[in-house]
Amino acid sequence: QVQLQESGPGLVKPSQTLSLTCTVSGDSINSGSYYYNWIRQPAGKGLEWIGHIYTTDGDITYNPSLKSRVTISLDMSKKQFSLKLSSVTAADTAVYYCATLKYDAFDIWGQGTVVTVSS
Amino acid sequence: QSVLTQPPSVSGAPGQRVTITCTGSSSNIGAGNEAHWYQQLPGTAPKLLIYSNNNRPSGVPDRFSGSTSGTSASLAITGLQALDEADYYCQSYDSSLRGYVFGAGTKVSVL
């Protein structure tokens, strides 16, 4: 059973780049084919899919509304995948989750990490 | 404004049945893209409750069931219990937006 854990700075200044990492455990990132996703949730609001990366061929798909600012990457040797979101504003303050995708549903989630954008 | 529309809240007495409707369009649920449902307890990550319209992951009680019709999906909770108080989100893939979309969530309260 795959387990996911997000990590990264909890505070980012406006206009800077938010960087988060999701560490995969309980299963080898090198075995099987997974879509690893990033999803966020502002406090008291709904969920927004940010994008994902496919372990088999490294194919990446981003939410069109965030595409110009997002980069998702994969480091199989470290069993990690990462999110970078540039030019952040207060609107990017949220809980950020990593999750796996199966049958087009997000079946396994990390516990989430809070990121606040503030000077 | 969310691509998938859910009522902000529903409530019911213990033991009753409640239903949450998720209204989409011809580019998501209506296009045959499957609907999925999540339960989010306060302060925790969402948990997959129903996948592929009407399937329950292992460990999810059969009090929870899903269905679809046209451009909408529904989640039914029977035998409502206090521990069912949570936020519930629907989700699908949108072929026009080329991405995964969620409803804004429905808060279920047990009276």
Side-chain angles (χ1 to χ4, degrees):
Chain A
Q1 175 78 345
V2 171
Q3 293 178 311
L4 306 173
Q5 177 69 60
E6 306 87 349
S7 60
L11 181 65
V12 181
K13 288 182 167 51
S15 80
Q16 294 192 340
T17 296
L18 176 162
S19 295
L20 297 174
T21 297
C22 182
T23 301
V24 182
S25 61
D27 194 358
S28 174
I29 199 171
N30 298 302
S31 66
S33 298
Y34 292 94
Y35 285 95
Y36 287 118
N37 298 262
W38 287 99
I39 296 164
R40 69 180 182 178
Q41 183 176 33
K45 296 188 179 181
L47 299 157
E48 180 179 33
W49 175 72
I50 298 171
H52 66 207
I53 187 165
Y54 188 40
T55 59
T56 296
D57 58 10
D59 186 47
I60 301 171
T61 305
Y62 297 127
N63 184 327
S65 68
L66 297 169
K67 186 176 183 178
S68 63
R69 299 195 292 131
V70 175
T71 302
I72 293 176
S73 60
L74 178 65
D75 188 335
M76 298 177 80
S77 65
K78 292 183 178 179
K79 299 186 179 181
Q80 294 177 335
F81 64 104
S82 300
L83 168 71
K84 292 187 185 299
L85 181 65
S86 64
S87 305
V88 296
T89 69
D92 296 309
T93 294
V95 177
Y96 284 76
Y97 297 100
C98 53
T100 57
L101 186 76
K102 184 176 183 180
Y103 305 130
D104 271 356
F106 302 104
D107 60 332
I108 300 171
W109 297 66
Q111 65 183 31
T113 188
V114 178
V115 178
T116 301
V117 178
S118 175
S119 55
Chain B
Q1 189 168 348
S2 299
V3 173
L4 304 177
T5 301
Q6 299 178 233
S9 64
V10 298
S11 61
Q16 284 191 332
R17 180 180 190 269
V18 297
T19 301
I20 302 169
T21 299
C22 172
T23 303
S25 68
S26 58
S27 62
N28 41 69
I29 299 172
N33 296 322
E34 294 172 326
H36 317 284
W37 292 90
Y38 303 85
Q39 178 192 59
Q40 186 175 34
L41 298 170
T44 68
K47 168 191 167 185
L48 182 62
L49 199 63
I50 297 287
Y51 68 94
S52 300
N53 300 331
N54 56 11
N55 295 279
R56 282 176 283 106
S58 175
V60 173
D62 58 7
R63 301 186 296 104
F64 296 92
S65 63
S67 63
T68 58
S69 178
T71 59
S72 296
S74 296
L75 172 71
I77 310 173
T78 58
L80 194 63
Q81 300 180 9
L83 55 80
D84 298 331
E85 283 204 333
D87 293 322
Y88 293 82
Y89 293 90
C90 61
Q91 175 253 314
S92 186
Y93 179 81
D94 193 286
S95 303
S96 294
L97 297 174
R98 298 185 182 179
Y100 298 90
V101 292
F102 292 89
T106 298
K107 183 174 183 60
V108 169
S109 299
V110 181
L111 302 174

